[in-house]
Amino acid sequence: MSAITDVSHVLPGAAGGQMGALLRSRSGLSGMLLTAVLMVVALLSVTGLLPYDAITQDPLARLQGPSAAHWFGTDQFGRDVFARVAAGVANSSLIAVVAVAFATVVGTAGGLVAGFFRRLPDVLISGLTNILFAFPPLLLALSLASVFTRTWFTVAVAIAIVYVPIFVRVTRGPVLSLREVEFVRAATSTGESRTAIMIRHVLPNLTSILIVQVALSLSWAVLTEASLSFLGLGTPPPAPSLGSMIFEARTLVQVAPWSMAAPGAVVVLLVVGLNLLGDGLRDVFDPRNRGA
């Protein structure tokens, strides 16, 4: 008997049981709470519920330290640092979500085709994947971002292209095993098309792997966007970005350390939260970890 079973028709209570297991996981619960708090802060910025605007300058309030009026202080232009951090989280999260969604769709489709059809499609897709893997991720993202006209969407596309090969490789390996199991062979013998078999029988068995990879890729995408913004190729101004805020504050460390500490700490917290969430999801979905 194969160790892989057909999960194309899962029980309705399965998702609830997995959520319960995630809440019982220390890393999963910590990651969920940390990420949720930061997303609420970002939502406050998007909905305009914060008392200060992230872009409006106030020269009379420049370089004020943290206080009841300005929780994270103000920068050299009198802009509220907390409002800018909140907007930066929103912008970074938007770019990360779009980038990872694009990489997930394209990479999963490529991995399915390469693993299921083999031969020429596998050679072409695996070859292109290996070429992209030959470049350091940040260097490749920098090269792609510098080619496009800089908008938040082109930044997201540049980051997505970097992470497509990861999803191809993560998907292709399991598909090579799934194509040989009994339920796939049974579907083939009944005359189902290869496309239908991939969508109805193979893809559902990849769900747990993809969920974990998406969570981890989101943290990498946030860090990549912050790195691009620090180097001047990320979110275009005047939209705030955590990376560009750190870059702008580098000359103010001695007189206004809060202007760098706040966005730097939030980048760390967001990346750590998403990584912890990914670890928790891996513990839930990986059978080898359930008995640990």
Side-chain angles (χ1 to χ4, degrees):
M1 293 292 290
S2 172
I4 303 175
T5 57
D6 187 0
V7 297
S8 56
H9 304 287
V10 295
L11 294 174
Q18 291 165 347
M19 178 58 69
L22 181 61
L23 293 176
R24 290 191 296 271
S25 168
R26 289 185 179 180
S27 58
L29 181 59
S30 300
M32 284 183 64
L33 293 176
L34 193 54
T35 304
V37 169
L38 292 174
M39 291 303 103
V40 169
V41 171
L43 187 60
L44 291 175
S45 173
V46 172
T47 54
L49 295 178
L50 295 178
Y52 298 100
D53 181 72
I55 301 176
T56 302
Q57 300 181 10
D58 183 6
L60 297 178
R62 62 188 301 270
L63 297 179
Q64 292 185 2
S67 64
H70 301 281
W71 292 352
F72 289 175
T74 61
D75 64 8
Q76 68 271 35
F77 299 108
R79 298 172 298 190
D80 185 74
V81 175
F82 181 82
R84 291 182 61 76
V85 165
V89 172
N91 292 331
S92 296
S93 300
L94 174 62
I95 290 175
V97 168
V98 172
V100 173
F102 181 89
T104 302
V105 172
V106 176
T108 301
L112 276 170
V113 172
F116 197 83
F117 288 95
R118 301 296 302 275
R119 298 185 180 179
L120 183 59
D122 190 16
V123 172
L124 294 176
I125 294 173
S126 296
L128 180 59
T129 298
N130 290 332
I131 291 173
L132 292 175
F133 267 128
F135 294 90
L138 183 57
L139 178 60
L140 181 57
L142 277 170
S143 303
L144 294 170
S146 63
V147 170
F148 301 128
T149 302
R150 189 152 59 104
T151 65
W152 73 266
F153 184 74
T154 56
V155 173
V157 171
I159 296 174
I161 293 174
V162 173
Y163 293 112
V164 164
I166 297 176
F167 282 91
V168 171
R169 184 160 292 183
V170 164
T171 304
R172 177 182 174 273
V175 171
L176 290 173
S177 300
L178 285 167
R179 68 192 296 270
E180 303 296 336
V181 299
E182 290 85 350
F183 61 85
V184 172
R185 291 183 176 180
T188 303
S189 65
T190 60
E192 284 193 62
S193 66
R194 291 185 173 183
T195 302
I197 293 173
M198 285 193 297
I199 295 175
R200 294 182 57 188
H201 300 285
V202 177
L203 185 57
N205 283 278
L206 302 174
T207 303
S208 60
I209 298 173
L210 292 175
I211 289 174
V212 175
Q213 188 59 49
V214 165
L216 295 174
S217 296
L218 283 172
S219 67
W220 302 337
V222 167
L223 195 57
T224 303
E225 190 279 330
S227 301
L228 290 176
S229 295
F230 182 84
L231 296 172
L233 291 173
T235 305
S241 171
L242 298 174
S244 62
M245 288 180 66
I246 296 173
F247 177 80
E248 293 172 358
R250 73 193 189 285
T251 58
L252 303 173
V253 175
Q254 294 184 344
V255 295
W258 57 84
S259 60
M260 175 179 284
V266 170
V267 169
V268 172
L269 291 175
L270 185 54
V271 172
V272 168
L274 290 169
N275 270 318
L276 288 174
L277 180 58
D279 288 341
L281 290 170
R282 183 174 55 195
D283 292 341
V284 170
F285 289 112
D286 191 345
R288 293 171 299 180
N289 296 331
R290 291 175 186 169

